[in-house]
Amino acid sequence: MSAKNTNTKNTKRQHPDEIWIGLISISDRASSGVYQDEGIPALESWFAKALTSPWHMESRLIPDEKELISKTIQELVDEVGCDLVLTTGGTGPSRRDVTPEATLAVASREMPGFAEQMRQISLKFVPTAILSRQVAALREIENHAALIINLPGQPKAIQETLEGLKDADGKAIVPGIFAAVPYCIDLIGGPYVETNETVIKAFRPKSAIRAK
């Protein structure tokens, strides 16, 4: 089941295992209408293919302003109730790239493995992947927690980091980061997320796999 972006606060979950996903595209030029944002459409398209369990999506397009980024993450987690928040853009070394700092400012714990794996995947394609400062972290409030991940800004790079590297037959060579996301959501008390294994196979220990 897929769901379109509604930008509607306080909508009730349609199913106990419906994951709520927040998407934040961070770009001065896209948010001001200079060019069309590509990050959010790319993610919406990817989730439509990758998830087989229910999901709901909320999206925001904002400029590279640290306080606004932090506030938007807080809104999506604390008010909307998102279980997973993905940002795109603003993770490079320029002075306007403040997404990592804004993310950590509202995080309770960092999850460094996600960022390490993203850079390892991207390094297979471009040496400039080492310039990325993206982070991943948890935001934990009373009775709720969410995983926050900074993704690249380009659609191709977004897909590569989520899915990983595959051979000519579509077999995974290097796991994408989303393989670990469903189990992470389990561990922080979120819904049970299932995926389309032809796109990305979610990994869980045998003891954590729910019987069909």
Side-chain angles (χ1 to χ4, degrees):
M1 179 188 299
S2 63
K4 293 182 179 179
N5 163 42
T6 62
N7 286 322
T8 303
K9 292 184 181 180
N10 301 319
T11 303
K12 298 294 184 182
R13 291 178 191 259
Q14 301 300 308
H15 187 280
D17 282 327
E18 180 181 65
I19 184 172
W20 279 41
I21 304 168
L23 306 180
I24 309 173
S25 186
I26 300 160
S27 169
D28 288 332
R29 289 180 293 173
S31 63
S32 63
V34 174
Y35 64 75
Q36 189 73 25
D37 171 63
E38 296 182 340
I40 289 173
L43 281 164
E44 290 177 335
S45 176
W46 189 83
F47 278 109
K49 296 182 296 182
L51 297 185
T52 58
S53 53
W55 56 285
H56 170 87
M57 192 163 285
E58 294 276 334
S59 64
R60 306 287 186 267
L61 175 59
I62 61 175
D64 291 90
E65 300 289 348
K66 182 180 175 182
E67 290 187 6
L68 179 58
I69 297 168
S70 294
K71 182 178 179 181
T72 304
I73 293 172
Q74 285 181 299
E75 177 219 349
L76 288 171
V77 176
D78 302 10
E79 299 177 34
V80 178
C82 290
D83 309 290
L84 173 66
V85 175
L86 302 176
T87 72
T88 72
T91 60
S94 77
R95 293 192 179 188
R96 292 292 293 171
D97 291 331
V98 294
T99 300
E101 288 78 13
T103 299
L104 294 176
V106 293
S108 51
R109 288 186 288 169
E110 193 171 354
M111 299 290 288
F114 286 102
E116 293 167 3
Q117 182 68 357
M118 282 191 281
R119 281 186 280 273
Q120 285 298 312
I121 293 170
S122 296
L123 275 169
K124 302 292 184 181
F125 299 97
V126 291
T128 51
I130 60 175
L131 301 179
S132 175
R133 302 183 305 108
Q134 60 219 72
V135 302
L138 301 178
R139 176 168 174 79
E140 298 157 303
I141 60 174
E142 187 176 1
N143 299 321
H144 185 59
L147 173 63
I148 308 158
I149 304 175
N150 301 155
L151 294 175
Q154 296 299 318
K156 184 174 184 292
I158 289 172
Q159 180 176 344
E160 290 165 352
T161 54
L162 290 172
E163 290 185 26
L165 305 179
K166 299 179 180 180
D167 62 19
D169 297 322
K171 184 179 179 180
I173 302 172
V174 179
I177 64 164
F178 202 83
V181 168
Y183 186 48
C184 182
I185 299 295
D186 292 351
L187 294 174
I188 62 175
Y192 190 87
V193 178
E194 297 182 278
T195 64
N196 177 354
E197 293 188 5
T198 64
V199 178
I200 183 73
K201 182 177 181 180
F203 177 82
R204 288 180 171 93
K206 289 183 179 179
S207 60
I209 297 175
R210 182 182 294 179
K212 298 282 186 178

